[in-house]
Amino acid sequence: MPRGGGRAPKKNYKGRSRHFTDEETLKEQLDKERREKQWRKQRGDDDDEEEKKEGAEGGIAEGSESESDSGSDSDSDRHKGVSHLIAIENPNRAVKKNKKIDALDTAPSAGPQLSRREREELEKQQAKERYQKMHMEGKTEEARSDMARLAIIRKQREEAAKKREEERLAKEAASKKS
């Protein structure tokens, strides 16, 4: 069953007729633009750039216009579109600032930026090295218990060595008597 409960289907925006611009209209628009460009060139290049800036900036202060004219003569040819003519005041826009060499030299070098995993791995390795150093110096609980265990084992071995020596001496004395 079709959508709409069997009634005539509802037309959506995709079913509307499309409007295309014919070639004649396009040619007329191009000719009109060419005529305007020629008229502006005859009138003078400087006036053309000022008009574009006034129209795009919407009446920004005269001082900023004269400053931008001096550097934009060669730049206006390279730019595509009108985005370079519009003053953007977006607070979220990240402005790329050039850093001076002096500022780079005085800044403390933080080293390469590490990811969280790399940083944690590095911290883990450093902690392990610190622990081993403390262990070698005998300052950790594990090192103290190891040293106590070793002392007990040494005592036992010394006592066993004394006992064997006494038994050997007793055997020698018994063998001399007999």
Side-chain angles (χ1 to χ4, degrees):
M1 186 171 185
R3 287 186 181 174
R7 290 176 274 158
K10 192 175 179 182
K11 289 198 172 196
N12 60 9
Y13 69 96
K14 290 185 180 180
R16 292 182 184 159
S17 61
R18 294 182 180 151
H19 175 71
F20 296 103
T21 309
D22 57 339
E23 290 182 44
E24 294 173 4
T25 311
L26 289 173
K27 286 180 182 177
E28 288 175 9
Q29 288 175 352
L30 288 174
D31 289 340
K32 185 177 180 182
E33 288 176 6
R34 287 183 193 142
R35 278 186 260 130
E36 286 178 4
K37 279 186 181 180
Q38 288 175 355
W39 178 75
R40 287 186 183 131
K41 283 183 181 178
Q42 289 173 355
R43 191 171 165 206
D45 289 334
D46 296 333
D47 296 338
D48 178 36
E49 289 176 9
E50 288 177 12
E51 286 178 5
K52 283 183 183 176
K53 288 189 189 299
E54 287 175 7
E57 292 177 356
I60 294 179
E62 296 292 325
S64 65
E65 208 173 273
S66 63
E67 293 171 4
S68 62
D69 275 352
S70 62
S72 68
D73 289 340
S74 61
D75 292 345
S76 64
D77 298 336
R78 292 186 221 140
H79 293 294
K80 203 171 194 180
V82 294
S83 61
H84 67 283
L85 299 174
I86 301 170
I88 299 173
E89 295 297 329
N90 184 356
N92 297 326
R93 181 174 179 236
V95 179
K96 186 176 182 183
K97 295 181 181 179
N98 293 333
K99 295 182 180 179
K100 295 182 179 178
I101 294 176
D102 297 337
L104 291 175
D105 292 341
T106 58
S109 60
Q113 295 293 331
L114 301 174
S115 68
R116 180 184 58 84
R117 288 183 181 171
E118 291 172 339
R119 189 176 58 250
E120 287 175 356
E121 185 68 30
L122 186 64
E123 289 171 359
K124 185 178 177 183
Q125 186 178 10
Q126 290 173 347
K128 188 175 182 180
E129 290 173 2
R130 279 194 305 272
Y131 182 79
Q132 287 178 350
K133 184 179 176 184
M134 297 281 283
H135 187 75
M136 294 300 278
E137 293 172 359
K139 294 181 181 178
T140 61
E141 291 295 322
E142 188 179 353
R144 290 183 194 127
S145 64
D146 287 345
M147 296 305 282
R149 195 177 328 111
L150 286 173
I152 293 170
I153 292 172
R154 278 193 197 117
K155 277 186 180 179
Q156 289 174 350
R157 287 183 180 167
E158 287 176 6
E159 289 172 3
K162 285 181 185 177
K163 203 173 193 181
R164 281 193 302 259
E165 185 67 27
E166 289 174 5
E167 288 176 2
R168 189 180 59 83
L169 289 175
K171 274 187 180 179
E172 287 180 8
S175 64
K176 285 187 182 177
K177 286 185 180 178
S178 39

